[in-house]
Amino acid sequence: MKKIITLLALVANIAAASANDYTDSLEVEVNGVATTQAATISLDRQADGSYSFILKNFILESEGQQMGVGTIEVNRVSGVTANGVTTLLARQDITIKEGDGLSPSGIWIGPAMLGIVPVQLVAEQRGDKLYAVIDIDLKSSLDKVIKVTFGNGGYRIGN
């Protein structure tokens, strides 16, 4: 009986901590100039009800140059679900991680040069769609705020 209860608890934890990958367009705006690229974001609901939000291999394009920034991971994101829509909000200081594979510029600048970076995340998950706005504050290192918009879904999130 004890083994069955342990097995059921394990299955419940795995189900509660399942990740969903969303692939869509990613618009990156720097100094009023926007570029678009394809991207995948993983949204992982944790056992405590919070979320982990991961944008792997983020690439910044500016003035025709591509720079590999790295993997942006925001953990302990609060989420509220109502009427089938999960709204996610976070304002955190993060350290951008190394990307997977080779960066277009030969280096992932996030872990190498940026240090701790303030980010603000607002997102909505509806069915199999994710829409997210991420403000990455690089004023202290590059004198810029990067605005990243993932997906569209035909709606805009208010401030």
Side-chain angles (χ1 to χ4, degrees):
M1 183 68 167
K2 197 175 201 181
K3 289 181 182 180
I4 292 173
I5 292 172
T6 303
L7 180 61
L8 289 175
L10 177 63
V11 170
N13 280 337
I14 290 170
S18 62
N20 290 310
D21 289 340
Y22 301 89
T23 300
D24 210 324
S25 64
L26 186 78
E27 181 181 273
V28 181
E29 185 180 320
V30 182
N31 296 333
V33 178
T35 59
T36 303
Q37 58 190 273
T40 299
I41 290 179
S42 294
L43 187 62
D44 186 4
R45 186 157 193 254
Q46 305 298 304
D48 67 359
S50 70
Y51 291 82
S52 176
F53 182 95
I54 302 169
L55 169 58
K56 284 189 175 183
N57 303 322
F58 175 59
I59 296 172
L60 177 63
E61 188 173 325
S62 181
E63 300 174 7
Q65 301 283 340
Q66 285 190 330
M67 282 187 285
V69 176
T71 295
I72 296 171
E73 186 172 335
V74 185
N75 293 305
R76 296 175 315 280
V77 177
S78 62
V80 176
T81 302
N83 301 320
V85 178
T86 301
T87 303
L88 306 163
L89 301 169
R91 185 181 300 246
Q92 296 180 12
D93 293 338
I94 66 166
T95 301
I96 297 174
K97 298 178 180 181
E98 187 87 10
D100 294 341
L102 186 62
S103 161
S105 58
I107 185 173
W108 293 104
I109 67 167
M113 299 169 47
L114 298 179
I116 295 174
V117 177
V119 295
Q120 181 175 335
L121 167 69
V122 178
E124 283 188 356
Q125 184 271 327
R126 298 174 187 231
D128 64 347
K129 297 288 183 191
L130 180 69
Y131 176 72
V133 176
I134 311 163
D135 288 333
I136 306 168
D137 187 343
L138 299 177
K139 285 187 242 169
S140 65
S141 53
L142 299 177
D143 198 32
K144 302 176 189 311
V145 173
I146 312 297
K147 182 173 182 159
V148 178
T149 305
F150 179 81
N152 184 328
Y155 57 92
R156 290 286 178 184
I157 299 172
N159 292 337

